[in-house]
Amino acid sequence: MIRVVVADDQTLVRSGFALILGAEPGIEVVAEAVDGAGALAAARHHLPDVVLMDIRMPGMDGIEATRHITSSPITAGVRVLVLTTFAADDYVVAALRAGASGFVLKDTEPADLVRAVEVVAAGEALLAPEVTRRMLDRFARAEKAVLTLPPLTQREHEVLVAVALGLSNLEIADRLVVSYSTVKTHVSHLLTKLEARDRAQLVMLAHRAGLGG
Amino acid sequence: MIRVVVADDQTLVRSGFALILGAEPGIEVVAEAVDGAGALAAARHHLPDVVLMDIRMPGMDGIEATRHITSSPITAGVRVLVLTTFAADDYVVAALRAGASGFVLKDTEPADLVRAVEVVAAGEALLAPEVTRRMLDRFARAEKAVLTLPPLTQREHEVLVAVALGLSNLEIADRLVVSYSTVKTHVSHLLTKLEARDRAQLVMLAHRAGLGG
DNA sequence: ACCCGCCTCGGTCTGGAGAGTGAGAACCCC
DNA sequence: GGGGTTCTCACTCTCCAGACCGAGGCGGGT
């Protein structure tokens, strides 16, 4: 039996979801909440499998409540399924950062809502297709932003990584088991190839290229 | 009518998927391919709505083929739904970077596979629950990884940002309209506070703290 | 009035960074 | 064998980075 808490400030919406879920044989709605604080309290008290959380609520909003639930050891294991009307980017990202396990739109078919609850209760995550598309776009854009480095030799690449870690030439020499002079040669080549002036710019470029975390 | 190309090197698997999809009223399998090159050729020739793409294939693999399909203007609009046995992180990330619109596991129920094809054909994106979970974890980890800096004064913060950009002390002095000596003082304080040895480490720490892009 | 933190500036001194040059060894390709 | 690239190492020289010192102005808090 999947135990669910439904949190939404709009009575009609909340009742509707509770009815839909309650009608399902394997699902039981153990509590309802009208704001974030209530949702948090219900989560702590009932320790449900899933909290169906609206984002826009008076007082503590759904994002904040989600953050508390997912970060508190007391409510560890309680999954949050976020509900919203629009798939606005800011909401999605904020909800994901807050630790939400799912993101579904309010115009979802009842059957899909039930399925989403079941999936999330099983420990999986699920996003509405529109939301997934937006996330993938973000992913793609984030990846395109990285700097592409000119072709570097194997050794130069290793030295660049070491430089990006903040190591001195002497430390790099020790790390790669070569002489101090050799390291300086490689660094000098890197400065030329990457059109950098000093190792500080080298560190910057390496990080922008995704080499240093 | 949704037109689909099925690409998989394993004959049984390929035929199975083609049968499942072909049996659906709204779906038509227009071509099959046994490797990445064949998938790419079929995509260019038939311009299907969806290419069902296996990752592991001889010669050009599914990732590479996906990259070609999504980046070529000829096959613009052709969606790629990636199929795999395991939700290995590297595969997922690589597929997403390559521009895949979906990611489903081979043990998916036939009905869910059909649904995935329909969703992807509609221009949306869809990920298998396990895959979504992994992506969310990545998201969460990427956010948690940022370094928290010790309290810095306003001026120190400005100098740190400038250092992170790769500027020299003289350039920073010009940028902030102060003397060279003043910049050195601030930098020296930064080195002490952040427990860094030189400005290279300062650049690294600044980037890890999310100050430099 | 006093203290304290921040910002400002100047001085000296040491060490490492980086430029520039030359050169030997290993490897691959034609 | 000759030409190319890469990796290796050494030497000189210049210059900035950074440590360390002191000091004045300015604002807030006791």
Side-chain angles (χ1 to χ4, degrees):
Chain A
M1 182 67 79
I2 301 173
R3 302 168 66 251
V4 180
V5 167
V6 178
D8 196 313
D9 61 322
Q10 296 170 289
T11 306
L12 274 180
V13 177
R14 185 177 68 250
S15 302
F17 287 143
L19 278 177
I20 292 173
L21 295 176
E24 204 67 18
I27 299 180
E28 176 188 7
V29 177
V30 296
E32 299 184 16
V34 299
D35 56 20
L40 181 55
R44 288 174 181 273
H45 188 261
H46 295 282
L47 289 180
D49 297 293
V50 179
V51 176
L52 205 60
M53 182 85 74
D54 185 27
I55 286 189
R56 289 186 52 185
M57 286 189 294
M60 180 189 295
D61 66 13
I63 304 288
E64 188 63 23
T66 300
R67 204 187 327 275
H68 280 100
I69 291 176
T70 58
S71 64
S72 165
I74 300 174
T75 47
V78 176
R79 312 284 178 175
V80 176
L81 182 56
V82 172
L83 271 174
T84 188
T85 305
F86 300 105
D89 271 26
D90 292 347
Y91 282 166
V92 177
V93 173
L96 295 183
R97 288 187 184 179
S101 290
F103 208 104
V104 297
L105 301 184
K106 285 191 177 178
D107 63 359
T108 301
E109 293 292 320
D112 287 340
L113 176 63
V114 170
R115 185 166 177 272
V117 169
E118 291 170 346
V119 168
V120 170
E124 307 288 3
L126 186 116
L127 302 184
E130 298 87 346
V131 177
T132 309
R133 158 60 59 194
R134 285 164 186 271
M135 270 195 62
L136 292 190
D137 286 346
R138 261 179 184 265
F139 223 87
R141 262 185 285 122
E143 296 301 327
K144 293 291 180 186
V146 298
L147 193 65
T148 52
L149 261 37
L152 299 179
T153 68
Q154 173 66 26
R155 217 47 170 166
E156 285 168 353
H157 190 270
E158 292 172 20
V159 171
L160 179 57
V161 170
V163 170
L165 290 176
L167 301 183
S168 70
N169 288 340
L170 211 54
E171 288 169 339
I172 297 175
D174 187 59
R175 180 192 179 99
L176 299 184
V177 202
V178 292
S179 82
Y180 175 67
S181 300
T182 302
V183 175
K184 295 193 72 168
T185 302
H186 287 312
V187 170
S188 191
H189 289 162
L190 283 170
L191 291 171
T192 301
K193 285 190 176 181
L194 302 189
E195 297 175 16
R197 179 182 46 196
D198 48 41
R199 68 198 299 110
Q201 295 191 347
L202 234 40
V203 175
M204 173 193 64
L205 292 173
H207 273 83
R208 284 188 181 173
L211 289 186
Chain B
M1 180 69 79
I2 301 174
R3 302 167 66 251
V4 180
V5 166
V6 177
D8 197 313
D9 61 322
Q10 295 170 289
T11 304
L12 274 179
V13 176
R14 185 177 67 251
S15 302
F17 287 144
L19 278 177
I20 291 173
L21 294 177
E24 204 69 16
I27 299 180
E28 175 188 7
V29 177
V30 295
E32 297 185 15
V34 299
D35 56 20
L40 181 55
R44 287 174 181 273
H45 188 261
H46 295 281
L47 291 179
D49 297 292
V50 179
V51 176
L52 206 61
M53 181 85 74
D54 186 28
I55 285 190
R56 289 187 52 187
M57 286 190 292
M60 180 191 294
D61 67 13
I63 304 289
E64 188 64 22
T66 300
R67 205 186 328 275
H68 280 99
I69 290 175
T70 57
S71 64
S72 165
I74 301 174
T75 46
V78 176
R79 312 284 178 174
V80 176
L81 182 55
V82 172
L83 272 174
T84 187
T85 305
F86 299 104
D89 271 26
D90 293 346
Y91 282 167
V92 177
V93 174
L96 295 184
R97 289 186 184 179
S101 290
F103 208 104
V104 298
L105 301 184
K106 286 192 178 178
D107 63 359
T108 301
E109 294 292 320
D112 287 339
L113 176 63
V114 170
R115 185 166 177 272
V117 169
E118 291 170 346
V119 168
V120 169
E124 306 288 3
L126 187 118
L127 302 183
E130 298 88 346
V131 176
T132 308
R133 158 60 58 194
R134 286 165 185 271
M135 270 193 63
L136 292 191
D137 284 347
R138 262 181 184 264
F139 225 88
R141 261 186 286 122
E143 297 301 326
K144 294 289 182 185
V146 297
L147 192 66
T148 52
L149 261 37
L152 300 178
T153 68
Q154 174 65 25
R155 217 47 170 167
E156 285 167 354
H157 190 271
E158 292 173 20
V159 171
L160 178 57
V161 170
V163 169
L165 290 176
L167 301 183
S168 70
N169 287 340
L170 211 53
E171 288 169 339
I172 298 175
D174 187 61
R175 180 194 179 96
L176 298 184
V177 202
V178 292
S179 81
Y180 175 66
S181 300
T182 303
V183 175
K184 297 192 72 167
T185 302
H186 288 311
V187 170
S188 192
H189 290 161
L190 283 170
L191 291 171
T192 301
K193 285 190 177 180
L194 303 189
E195 296 176 17
R197 179 181 45 196
D198 48 41
R199 68 196 301 108
Q201 295 191 347
L202 235 38
V203 174
M204 173 194 65
L205 292 174
H207 274 84
R208 285 188 180 173
L211 288 186

